[in-house]
Amino acid sequence: MVSRHWLYFGGFVITGILLIGATLMGIVDGLSALSGSVPASEEFILLAMLGEAAEWVMIVLVLGLFAVVFLAVTVISVLRTASLPRDDRLVSIVEWVERRYPVLRRFDVTEKVSPTSEDQRQQLKDQYISGEISDAEFEREMGQLMDDATSKEKSQSRTETAIEIDDKSR
């Protein structure tokens, strides 16, 4: 079965092709005004051309709107299902973009790109094996990762307990 974002992209391509065709037809229709009896003033020529191609201008505006909507939906669909690399630097960039544009927080991209504790442990092990960090530094950072993971689990269990208590009290 074809995924949704390919269908959205197909809609964008089709409306783009129709948009180009309608634009060309509007230009031809507008230029046909020049073959008639139009006064020699530049304003009159432009108004006559727009008058001839008025329906094409409306069609182009509507198709342009559909193309933009299809493109936006395609991008949103791909971002929601994309497997993004997990990296601390990427997290800081995404957090900055989300602070700048708060509407983007709804997509939870920060959660998708932030490294898990398992990713961080593996990266730490790789650094230790390659000799980038010493034994003491490896032990210290591994202990810090374990403490962070434990504190996250405790805060999640407190939140779940508070929700359960709140549900029981209703």
Side-chain angles (χ1 to χ4, degrees), residues 9-45:
F9 183 70
F12 168 71
V13 169
I14 290 170
T15 54
I17 292 169
L18 291 173
L19 181 66
I20 291 169
T23 302
L24 293 175
M25 291 299 293
I27 290 171
V28 168
D29 205 12
L31 290 176
S32 70
L34 295 178
S35 65
S37 60
V38 179
S41 175
E42 289 179 18
E43 293 90 24
F44 291 123
I45 292 174

Side-chain angles (χ1 to χ4, degrees), residues 83-88 91 111-127 142 145:
S83 174
L84 300 172
R86 296 182 174 270
D87 186 30
D88 288 328
V91 170
E111 294 297 321
K112 290 183 180 180
V113 297
S114 61
T116 63
S117 57
E118 185 60 38
D119 293 336
Q120 292 173 337
R121 283 189 207 116
Q122 186 61 41
Q123 183 181 13
L124 193 59
K125 288 176 186 177
D126 292 343
Q127 287 177 342
M142 189 60 82
L145 280 175

Side-chain angles (χ1 to χ4, degrees), residues 4-122:
R4 271 186 274 158
H5 55 267
W6 283 110
L7 290 175
Y8 298 145
F9 183 70
F12 168 71
V13 169
I14 290 170
T15 54
I17 292 169
L18 291 173
L19 181 66
I20 291 169
T23 302
L24 293 175
M25 291 299 293
I27 290 171
V28 168
D29 205 12
L31 290 176
S32 70
L34 295 178
S35 65
S37 60
V38 179
S41 175
E42 289 179 18
E43 293 90 24
F44 291 123
I45 292 174
L46 183 60
L47 287 175
M49 289 174 70
L50 283 175
E52 275 300 313
E55 65 273 0
W56 292 108
V57 170
M58 291 303 296
I59 290 171
V60 165
L61 289 175
V62 170
L63 285 173
L65 179 67
F66 277 120
V68 167
V69 167
F70 272 122
L71 181 63
V73 170
T74 300
V75 169
I76 290 170
S77 174
V78 167
L79 284 177
R80 284 190 173 183
T81 60
S83 174
L84 300 172
R86 296 182 174 270
D87 186 30
D88 288 328
R89 283 179 263 160
L90 186 57
V91 170
S92 63
I93 292 169
V94 170
E95 286 174 344
W96 178 83
V97 170
E98 286 180 344
R99 278 193 309 273
R100 182 109 171 139
Y101 304 102
V103 73
L104 298 176
R105 290 185 188 144
R106 293 186 297 158
F107 301 112
D108 294 329
V109 178
T110 305
E111 294 297 321
K112 290 183 180 180
V113 297
S114 61
T116 63
S117 57
E118 185 60 38
D119 293 336
Q120 292 173 337
R121 283 189 207 116
Q122 186 61 41

Side-chain angles (χ1 to χ4, degrees), residues 124-137:
L124 193 59
K125 288 176 186 177
D126 292 343
Q127 287 177 342
Y128 177 70
I129 290 170
S130 66
E132 294 176 23
I133 58 175
S134 66
D135 291 341
E137 191 173 356

